[in-house]
């Protein structure tokens, strides 16, 4: 029933146009996501300038101090300032998020486009590989990788990127497959546009928005995975300040001095929520059915 | 129907083969010398050489791989470097509690996620929807081990409702179930949120379908229309249960550590820190293959909820 | 069937001053404005309008399914004098489905995919009538039988995806009929169907109306369907009824400029061709931005921007007969013959007479020759190679095209016409056969070798909003053909402006994106792109079928002008025979991958020869109630079979009326066999008929080409 008034009233503009035109401010989730993400990035970039203490300096006389004016979030059992450790810890998390987002986006887009656009055996082989990687529980694969190759930040990034690239790839493949049969692709062939230019000029620009959303989500997962690995002692090794390490360090004092683990966990939660809300918000904005805002809900 | 089942079954073979290959090459072939890893850096060259021969590490890679696959077919994944027990037996002995935990959490996730998503969709845009969406975005954003720690503080220490650690006394089902409640709920948080969000978007999509309008126009009772909606949402929901299970398996390791439960989590951590790669590999493979098998079962169930794939 | 108290002799469904608005974030969409209309049991009311005229929303409100935030802001809906708004919710629910039922446009989406069809009908029955499952099932089987579902009992447990489109629409109608409602609202019930399937469904609705005594509201954009079916007609424009009256009055003495313009802008399948169509300028308004005063005045030939038209909304006033009403400020002028003449409104009779001569040169030398072309696609991605089946989309087609002529390629969906068109310009590779373009065999050229030839071979696509990259500006779209050939320079820049002007677009809009244009304008962009490289032959794949009726004529005229000026050769693919009659020089009819008839346009439309062509032509509704009444119809049974396993012998034999007649006649020299439940000549089942060339220029593929027209069924 394309004859509803909504369909009549609104021609369907491109994804980009929709994104550009949407009143961002009206979307509370998106705004919260943007604010949290910007905060996350700022903290990571400016952390060293803001930190009141050195995150590595131990001071056993001040161990396990409660939150106060000098130590905003108290100290851990070595007397290190928890607040400063969290500020520094943001850097590891941001680095992981950005790298994993960038790597999974780049590799995922290349693999997904190749599979979705070429079709045939190329698609079957690539899809098979993607599916095999997808069949591993992501966190477990990352864990095994780090366990064998050693716990450096680089290995953590590589491990999480390996686990999450197939997710981006499979979405990209699906999106490309919806674009490939569209008539403007055929029309480009008809006027003699070479295939590579079609992919570059027509397929990629039209398929990126939803894939960027997935890459955002995989960046969010990367923060979680890094924290999880650190928590297990497989991430960046202590005493380096990462959010996961801080939680682990606070764990024996969970009941008596909960602020250590709680504040570190809250930092992770805030950063990941921000990235997820950002992804959600962008997706909602791109979603034509949500955007044209007629509810289709027959129960209302 | 039979053709569908057969094609699903056949697809499992290359998948498992691919997983085995990846597991072999990432875990055994790539890094340095497993012999050094096992015996330590100060072992004599003779001892290292003996171990390499014993483990077949002196053979070319493809011979090792062939031997590995042959062993795998026979259910032999080598011996644990530490306990000298067959790795397979070690893994199998701790598999049930882990699968049990993951299974329970997926069950909770379905039972909780489905209604949450339904209510959210039916009340789209209301404060109920808003609240539930805030809760579910937290569910997928908060680190599971952190949720676990908070739960321990709240429910084990503050109001002593559940045990903070352990899996209950052996042989006492009641205490085991009691000990399972908290970890299963914690592990289910992510899955619940995931399924709730999926159910919501699936329902919103279904609610705009013409056949729902037709049902309303034809004067079908609201309760029945609701069933129409739920019934149509089942295929996509069934489609993500496999992913939910896979994520639960991965997170179960973290939850088991948080609650100090015996299971694959502690085994894998132990194997990792003692560089027991045989054991680690066995753990990774067994868990991954169990995920593949769960997905297979779900695939075979799929035609029951979606008549369109039946032949 | 008397579970509810018998209705009064003739029930009445009435909408009174109904207005429905959608409060959208960017303004109010006034979808329905002050609409009043009544339907009595036993009559058929046709509601005609283009997309965005508010015709669907008006009646969705009767069923209570206007999508939020749509709201009835004024007026009422009354059933036998009782306003539905005053009914308690439970009674309202009972009314819907029991007293008033609805048939929707797309049978693909209006049945629930995860329940068997029988179950869905039982649900409707049991929602209203307290009866056992068995009793409900019996009644469901009755109605399935009534709407012509063969072997209803066996198909009861089948799911919607196991039915063809036409069968699904029958199921939908069965569901609507299940409780013997007094009114059925059918919203474009045949728009998603092929023309032969449309004929079957309209036939069914006509029959049911007589048998069941139901009041039928038929919402459609197709004036032909209205002329065939309706007793009364309401014409809607921009959310208002602008004219309503008895069907004959509306078609023979239209008294609203919009109705009048609409009728003369349409090409007709039953009338000879006029040189040019009379298009309505501009595009239908958006409901969020309806022009003040009379909504039609910016496009009206009569208004000339006079003050009343711009300022006041005209009311429906009697025009001609008592029941005939029209909303125009200048009704008397419209009735005045001298004014009509001044405005260039043709008299009713001007349609007849011989076809006007096209004002272009006679066709020249052969430009394209196709020999035994086959295009087969493998299906079933995961099947093993020897199990893989092939869709024979095009299966042995030969014809030639001369420079400057227009070939009309017609057939129903799935006949292979679009595949053929795409293969001709080598968007697809043929599986066998030859394509010669200007003497060069292009059937196996690679993409690189094809590229220079693409300058001469172009295509215009069906859906202008899908065939333009939504992210690009018009300038970028038109620039691309030059860029990829390294021909981009200042001259090309001016060429883009020329192109835009040539197709009737404002060159200053070059920096806009496709969505900022109306459908008709977007198709102009598509035409401009095809013209960019000075093509010789253009494949037009249903270029107007996605456009509103009032806009189609603009594009058709543009295409004809361009052909005359530039000497273009067209291959015009369409399912709409009226458009084909208007624009083509020759017609090729395709069925299941083969050409079954080829003929000069006039000869073809005067007397089609192949039984399929005849059925096709006879299925097209004619926008003239008199002709519709006096018309016999060849309603062919069943749907188009799958091109994977086409019927043996002549692909058309299971549905062929000529084969049926020959089977009944039982001539001694014709051995018969049983096929599709009736005797047919054995030859029809054994071999695909060869093409016979007929002196009067009809080529047809039939074993019995000399059999005369079917008695009483001429078109």
């Amino acid at each position: 029933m394309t004859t509803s008034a909504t369909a009549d009233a609104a021609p369907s503009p491109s994804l980009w146009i929709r994104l550009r035109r949407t009143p961002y401010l009206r979307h509370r989730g998106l705004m919260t996501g943007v604010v949290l993400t910007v905060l996350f990035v700022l903290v990571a970039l400016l952390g060293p300038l803001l930190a009141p203490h050195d995150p590595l300096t131990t001071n056993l006389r001040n161990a396990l101090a409660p939150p106060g004016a000098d130590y905003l979030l108290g100290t851990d059992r070595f007397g290190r300032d928890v607040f400063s450790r969290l500020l520094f810890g943001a850097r590891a998390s941001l680095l992981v998020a950005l790298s994993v987002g960038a790597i999974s986006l780049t590799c995922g887009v290349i693999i997904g486009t190749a599979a979705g656009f070429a079709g045939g055996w190329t698609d079957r082989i690539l899809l098979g590989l993607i599916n095999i990687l997808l069949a591993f529980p992501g966190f477990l694969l990352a864990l095994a990788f780090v366990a064998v190759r050693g716990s450096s930040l680089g290995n953590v990034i590589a491990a999480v990127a390996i686990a999450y690239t197939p997710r981006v790839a499979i979405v990209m493949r699906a999106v490309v497959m919806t674009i490939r049969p569209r008539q403007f692709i055929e029309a480009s062939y008809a006027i003699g546009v070479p295939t590579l230019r079609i992919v570059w000029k027509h397929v990629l620009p039209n398929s990126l928005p939803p894939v960027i959303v997935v890459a955002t989500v995989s960046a969010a997962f990367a923060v979680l995975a890094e924290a999880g690995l650190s928590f297990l002692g497989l991430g960046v090794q202590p005493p380096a300040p990462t959010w996961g390490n801080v939680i682990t360090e606070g764990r024996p004092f969970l009941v008596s001095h909960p602020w250590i683990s709680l504040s570190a966990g809250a930092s992770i939660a805030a950063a990941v929520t921000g990235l997820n809300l950002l992804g959600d918000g962008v997706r909602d904005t791109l979603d034509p059915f949500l955007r044209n805002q007629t509810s289709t809900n027959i129960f209302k | 129907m039979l053709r569908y089942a057969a094609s699903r079954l056949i697809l499992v073979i290359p998948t498992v083969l691919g997983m085995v290959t990846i597991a072999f090459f990432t875990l055994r072939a790539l890094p340095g010398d497993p012999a050094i890893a096992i015996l330590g850096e100060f072992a004599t060259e003779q001892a290292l050489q003996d171990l390499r021969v014993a483990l077949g590490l002196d053979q070319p890679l493809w011979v090792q791989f062939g031997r590995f696959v042959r062993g795998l077919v026979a259910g032999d994944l080598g011996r644990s470097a530490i306990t000298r027990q067959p790795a397979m037996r070690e893994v199998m002995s701790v598999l049930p509690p882990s699968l049990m935990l993951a299974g329970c959490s997926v069950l909770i996730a379905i039972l909780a996620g489905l209604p949450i998503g339904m209510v959210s969709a039916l009340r789209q845009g209301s404060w109920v929807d808003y609240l539930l969406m805030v809760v579910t975005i937290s569910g997928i954003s908060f680190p599971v081990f952190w949720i676990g720690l908070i739960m321990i503080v709240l429910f084990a220490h503050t109001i002593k409702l559940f045990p903070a650690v352990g899996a209950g006394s052996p042989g006492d089902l009641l205490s085991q179930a009691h000990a399972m409640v908290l970890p299963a709920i914690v592990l289910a948080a992510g899955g619940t949120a995931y399924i709730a969000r999926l159910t919501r978007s699936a329902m919103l999509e279904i609610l705009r379908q013409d056949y729902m309008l037709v049902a309303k126009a034809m004067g079908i009772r609201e309760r029945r229309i609701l069933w129409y909606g739920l019934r149509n949402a089942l295929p996509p929901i069934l489609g993500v249960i496999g992913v939910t299970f896979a994520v639960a398996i991965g997170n179960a390791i973290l939850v088991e550590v948080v609650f100090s439960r015996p299971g694959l989590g502690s085994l894998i951590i132990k194997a990792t820190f003692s560089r027991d790669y045989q054991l680690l590999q066995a753990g990774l493979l067994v868990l991954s293959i169990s995920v593949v098998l769960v997905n297979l079962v779900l695939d075979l169930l799929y035609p029951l909820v979606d008549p369109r794939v039946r032949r | 069937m008397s579970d509810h108290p018998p209705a009064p002799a003739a029930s009445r469904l009435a909408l009174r001053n109904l207005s429905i608005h959608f409060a959208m974030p960017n303004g109010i969409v006034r979808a329905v404005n002050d609409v009043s209309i009544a339907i009595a049991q036993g009559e058929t009311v046709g509601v005609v309008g283009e997309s965005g005229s508010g015709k669907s929303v008006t009646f969705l409100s009767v069923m209570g399914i206007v999508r939020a935030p749509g709201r009835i802001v004024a007026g009422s809906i009354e059933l036998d004098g009782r306003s539905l708004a005053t009914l308690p919710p439970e009674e309202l629910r009972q009314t819907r489905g029991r007293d008033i039922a609805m048939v929707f446009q797309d049978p693909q989406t209006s049945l629930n995919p995860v329940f068997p069809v029988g179950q869905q009908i039982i649900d409707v029955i049991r929602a209203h009538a307290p009866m056992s499952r068995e009793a409900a099932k019996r009644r469901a089987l009755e109605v399935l039988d009534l709407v012509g579902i063969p072997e209803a009992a066996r198909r009861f447990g089948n799911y919607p995806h196991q039915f063809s489109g036409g069968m699904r629409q029958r199921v939908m109608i069965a569901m609507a009929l299940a409780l013997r409602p007094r009114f059925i609202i059918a919203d474009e019930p045949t728009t998603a169907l092929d023309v032969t399937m449309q004929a079957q469904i309209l036939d069914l609705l006509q029959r049911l109306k007589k048998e069941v005594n139901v009041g039928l509201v038929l919402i459609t954009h197709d004036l032909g369907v209205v002329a065939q079916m309706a007793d009364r007609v309401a014409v809607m424009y921009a959310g208002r009824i602008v004219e309503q009256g008895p069907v004959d009055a509306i078609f023979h003495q239209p008294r609203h400029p919009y109705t009048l313009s609409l009728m003369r802008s349409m090409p007709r399948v039953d009338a000879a061709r006029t040189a040019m169509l009379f298009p309505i300028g501009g595009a239908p308004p958006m409901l969020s931005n309806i022009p003040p005063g009379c909504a039609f005045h910016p496009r009206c030939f009569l208004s000339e921007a006079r003050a009343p038209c711009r300022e006041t909304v005209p009311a429906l006033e009697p025009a001609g007969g008592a029941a005939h009403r029209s909303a125009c400020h200048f009704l008397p002028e419209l009735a005045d013959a001298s004014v009509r003449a001044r405005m260039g409104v043709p008299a009713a009779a001007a349609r007849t007479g011989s076809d006007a001569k096209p004002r272009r040169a006679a066709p020249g030398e052969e430009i394209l020759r196709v020999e035994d072309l086959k295009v087969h696609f493998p299906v079933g991605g995961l099947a093993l190679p020897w199990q893989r089946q092939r869709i024979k989309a095009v299966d042995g087609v030969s014809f030639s095209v001369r420079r400057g002529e227009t070939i009309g390629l017609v057939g129903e969906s799935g006949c292979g016409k679009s595949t053929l068109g795409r293969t001709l310009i080598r968007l697809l590779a043929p599986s066998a056969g030859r394509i010669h373009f200007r003497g060069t065999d292009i059937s196996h050229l690679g993409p690189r070798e094809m590229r220079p030839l693409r300058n001469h071979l172009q295509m215009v696509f069906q859906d202008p909003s899908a065939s333009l990259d939504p992210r690009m500006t018009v300038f970028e779209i038109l620039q691309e053909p030059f860029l990829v050939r390294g021909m981009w320079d200042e001259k090309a820049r001016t060429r883009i402006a020329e192109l835009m002007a040539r197709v009737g677009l404002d060159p200053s809009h070059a920096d806009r994106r496709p969505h900022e244009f109306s459908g008709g304008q977007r198709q102009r962009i598509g035409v401009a792109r095809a013209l960019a490289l000075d093509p010789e032959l253009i494949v037009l794949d249903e270029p107007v079928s996605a456009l509103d009726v009032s806009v189609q004529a603009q594009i058709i005229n543009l295409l004809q002008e361009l052909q005359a000026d530039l000497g273009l050769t067209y291959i015009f693919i369409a399912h709409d025979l009226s458009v084909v009659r208007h624009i083509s020089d020759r017609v090729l009819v395709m069925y299941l991958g083969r050409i079954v008839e080829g003929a000069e346009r006039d000869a073809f439309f005067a007397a089609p020869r192949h039984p399929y062509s005849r059925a096709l032509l006879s299925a097209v509704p004619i926008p003239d109630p008199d002709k519709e009444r006096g018309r016999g119809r060849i309603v062919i049974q069943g749907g188009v079979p799958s091109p994977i396993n086409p019927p043996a012998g002549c692909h058309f034999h299971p549905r062929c009326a000529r084969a049926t007649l020959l089977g009944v006649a039982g001539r001694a020299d014709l051995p018969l066999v049983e096929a599709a439940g009736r005797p047919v000549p054995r030859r029809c089942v054994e071999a695909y008929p060869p093409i016979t060339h007929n002196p009067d220029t009809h080529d047809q593929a039939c074993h019995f080409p000399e059999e005369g027209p079917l008695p009483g069924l001429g078109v």
Side-chain angles (χ1 to χ4, degrees), chain B residues 97 100 122 232 296 298:
Chain B
M100 190 72 184
L122 296 178
N232 276 283
L296 175 69
L298 293 170

Side-chain angles (χ1 to χ4, degrees), chain C residues 416-455:
Chain C
K417 56 188 191 299
S418 283
T419 306
L420 176 59
R422 280 166 169 72
T423 312
L424 293 182
I425 64 161
R426 284 302 318 281
L427 284 177
L428 297 170
S431 317
R434 294 261 171 273
I435 306 165
H436 297 274
F437 174 65
R438 295 191 312 198
T440 319
D441 183 354
I442 62 165
S443 36
H444 297 290
L445 294 186
R448 220 170 282 274
E449 299 154 308
M450 264 315 286
R451 214 162 285 150
L453 283 170
R454 295 212 177 280
N455 296 7

Side-chain angles (χ1 to χ4, degrees), chain A residues 1 3-6 8-9 11-14 16-17 20-21 26 124 182-184 186-194 197 201-202 205-206 292-296, chain C residues 22 24-25 29 31 52 56-57 67-69 104 187 286 381 422 427 451 454 458 461-463 466-472 480-481 483-485 513 515 522 529:
Chain A
M1 271 174 300
T3 32
S4 75
T6 349
D8 299 337
S12 68
S14 83
W16 288 107
I17 306 289
R20 203 180 310 153
R21 277 200 195 153
R26 224 182 269 167
R124 269 178 229 177
R182 283 174 69 182
Q183 265 183 7
F184 65 84
E186 207 181 8
S188 306
Y189 275 117
I191 54 171
V193 183
R197 187 185 153 94
K201 283 276 176 187
H202 298 280
N206 280 292
N292 72 26
Q293 305 203 2
T294 46
S295 159
T296 48
Chain C
F22 291 71
M24 306 290 280
V29 174
S56 287
V57 180
R67 294 173 191 262
F104 290 78
D187 184 8
M286 299 229 263
R422 280 166 169 72
L427 284 177
R451 214 162 285 150
R454 295 212 177 280
Q458 274 303 314
F461 295 85
Q462 170 174 8
D463 184 351
S467 63
L468 305 171
D469 189 333
R471 286 190 51 263
M472 288 191 160
E480 196 160 34
L483 273 183
V484 299
R485 282 172 178 73
R513 281 165 221 275
H515 73 270
R522 260 177 263 170
R529 176 174 54 188

